[in-house]
Amino acid sequence: MTPEQAPTGPAAADRVAGRAAAQAARTGGSEQEQHHEPFQRGLIPAPEPVRFLDDAGNRVEPITDDYTEPEPEQLVEAYRKMVVGRRFDIQATALTKQGRLAVYPSSRGQEACQVGAMLALQDGDWVFPTYRDSVALVSRGIDPVEVLTLLRGDQHCGYDVAKTHVAAQCTPLSTQLLHAAGVAHGEQRRGRDTVALAFIGDGATSEGDFHEGLNFAAVFQVPAVFVVQNNGWAISVPLSKQTKAPSLAYKGIGYGVVCEQVDGNDAVATLAVLNKAVAWARAGKGPVLVELHTTRLEAHTNADDHLRYRTPEELEAIAHEDAVARLEAYLRSRGLVDDAFVEECKAEGERLAADLRERMNADPVTSPDDLFVHVYSEPTPQLREQQEMLHAELAAEADTDEEGAR
């Protein structure tokens, strides 16, 4: 339809006005007000990733004045948790070489993303992690051994989901976004101000569940924050094979989801944006999509050889984008940390690693009945029948062994 063919007159004007009013009702203000909300550009992310610190940890002016620098206490706590989290990650990687873990997906290099996201939340908020988010779970306060239970192969989830408000680490790609949107919607209907935060990797944005989760969240204006940790690789598939969009953050625009892109190796910027995103969602203003540009310093998992698809030059380049060193340099320049505090954080990490080694070296005590404990809250008749069959088989085997011993 050409402009000349477009409907005109009072009826058409009323329809246009009606659509504008409906949009304003959904988003919480007039069209003019929405130009400045929620993040100055409306739905569109910043043209370049938001950053507060350069690679050396020097303070720079962010590309937008939308965001407030986090309080010093939050930044110092972020540094402590990032140091401890990195030591945990290194220890977990070593446990795979000792045969104590079946697999471990390292997140070394992504500490600012994972710790920053957890610090932006309240205790009652929900977290929906991927298999690569063990550092986030440890920084959330979950026992490291319970975090690694899945990766050791003992249970699907080693911690109490209801108690921690952390869903089981998700190995299927993107399915946790549907769960996050659903829980956020349910909490919203109950009149609670709970926020659900879901992690996702760059490759998983190509899955259908990613788009369904965003669309549902936007339509129902649920209090959810979707965090894309874009480390540039989906195992060995580079980002260029995933999208032609200027950045993954732009994928939220088509669904009416507020979106932003951030330098995910800049802990100050990461916290600044996620603090605002979580507050926005908690206030009932709808979901937010945040893309964190970050770096995966290790292979996809211990079963992967990333040197087959990454050049030494690339690895050398990203090594200088160290989020921990960058934040430390900035905090030192402001007099917020000193040598004593840095050593204290390292010592805390060493204590965690030593405790983790000791407890992971003990074989778990298991029972065949564990197979039936967490299937249903009330066992079904079929499940009871299967359990009785197992008991009968074990008893028969014990009798055979006893007769053989005679």
Side-chain angles (χ1 to χ4, degrees):
M1 179 181 295
T2 66
E4 291 77 10
Q5 295 171 314
T8 58
D14 289 345
R15 285 196 295 273
V16 172
R19 285 196 294 268
Q23 175 65 16
R26 288 194 297 271
T27 53
S30 69
E31 183 179 351
Q32 183 177 6
E33 290 170 338
Q34 284 302 306
H35 178 71
H36 299 288
E37 287 192 311
F39 309 128
Q40 288 189 0
R41 297 163 305 282
L43 297 178
I44 301 175
E48 299 291 338
V50 176
R51 58 160 34 186
F52 279 67
L53 305 179
D54 64 18
D55 291 347
N58 300 310
R59 182 71 158 83
V60 297
E61 286 304 314
I63 195 170
T64 171
D65 61 359
D66 267 345
Y67 307 107
T68 303
E69 179 170 337
E71 294 296 326
E73 295 78 11
Q74 191 181 40
L75 293 177
V76 171
E77 180 66 1
Y79 174 76
R80 183 184 69 82
K81 288 180 177 292
M82 287 166 64
V83 171
V84 173
R86 175 166 292 187
R87 185 63 186 91
F88 161 82
D89 188 88
I90 292 171
Q91 184 59 64
T93 299
L95 289 171
T96 63
K97 300 175 182 178
Q98 300 164 9
R100 288 298 177 183
L101 289 181
V103 66
Y104 182 70
S106 172
S107 58
R108 190 164 72 89
Q110 300 180 204
E111 293 89 354
C113 305
Q114 301 198 8
V115 170
M118 295 303 96
L119 288 179
L121 298 175
Q122 296 178 2
D123 290 342
D125 293 332
W126 276 87
V127 180
F128 291 82
T130 74
Y131 52 81
R132 196 177 300 283
D133 300 318
S134 296
V135 169
L137 273 57
V138 171
S139 72
R140 177 84 166 174
I142 300 177
D143 184 338
V145 172
E146 293 181 355
V147 171
L148 295 177
T149 298
L150 166 66
L151 301 171
R152 185 160 62 171
D154 298 338
Q155 300 180 36
H156 180 60
C157 182
Y159 49 86
D160 187 330
V161 169
K163 180 180 178 181
T164 60
H165 280 204
V166 178
Q169 287 182 273
C170 194
T171 49
L173 300 184
S174 290
T175 55
Q176 72 276 12
L177 268 64
L178 299 176
H179 306 157
V183 166
H185 185 47
E187 292 290 274
Q188 182 185 57
R189 288 176 63 85
R190 291 183 175 93
R192 300 169 182 165
D193 66 350
T194 308
V195 172
L197 184 145
F199 286 111
I200 188 174
D202 47 288
T205 62
S206 295
E207 296 286 333
D209 287 343
F210 168 78
H211 302 276
E212 293 171 14
L214 260 65
N215 190 56
F216 180 95
V219 169
F220 291 96
Q221 290 289 89
V222 308
V225 177
F226 303 109
V227 178
V228 180
Q229 295 181 86
N230 178 7
N231 61 35
W233 293 96
I235 308 182
S236 59
V237 179
L239 182 66
S240 60
K241 299 296 184 183
Q242 298 292 343
T243 183
K244 293 297 290 182
S247 85
L248 294 172
Y250 282 80
K251 291 182 179 289
I253 297 174
Y255 299 108
V257 174
V258 175
C259 41
E260 187 60 279
Q261 59 171 330
V262 189
D263 181 348
N265 293 334
D266 177 351
V268 180
T270 298
L271 273 167
V273 174
L274 288 177
N275 283 341
K276 183 163 186 175
V278 170
W280 179 263
R282 196 184 309 284
K285 299 179 180 180
V288 183
L289 172 67
V290 178
E291 177 188 13
L292 301 177
H293 296 267
T294 185
T295 47
R296 191 190 80 199
L297 297 177
E298 301 287 348
H300 177 69
T301 70
N302 55 292
D304 171 44
D305 179 9
H306 63 159
L307 296 179
R308 296 178 61 186
Y309 53 87
R310 301 172 84 177
T311 66
E313 291 76 18
E314 175 195 344
L315 295 174
E316 173 66 22
I318 63 176
H320 296 293
E321 301 175 14
D322 188 346
V324 178
R326 189 189 302 191
L327 180 58
E328 180 182 330
Y330 178 62
L331 294 177
R332 282 182 180 274
S333 72
R334 291 190 56 189
L336 296 174
V337 304
D338 54 17
D339 289 344
F341 182 77
V342 170
E343 291 305 316
E344 179 185 324
C345 293
K346 291 179 180 178
E348 182 181 348
E350 290 300 330
R351 289 193 297 271
L352 181 146
D355 178 70
L356 183 60
R357 283 195 303 271
E358 180 180 355
R359 291 196 290 146
M360 290 296 289
N361 281 333
D363 292 328
V365 178
T366 60
S367 165
D369 282 321
D370 291 343
L371 292 168
F372 307 94
V373 173
H374 300 295
V375 182
Y376 295 102
S377 58
E378 289 293 332
T380 63
Q382 295 86 351
L383 199 64
R384 291 195 185 95
E385 181 182 357
Q386 293 171 22
Q387 190 172 19
E388 291 168 1
M389 290 172 60
L390 176 61
H391 288 167
E393 290 181 14
L394 293 174
E397 183 178 333
D399 291 342
T400 300
D401 291 342
E402 185 177 341
E403 291 177 6
R406 296 195 191 117

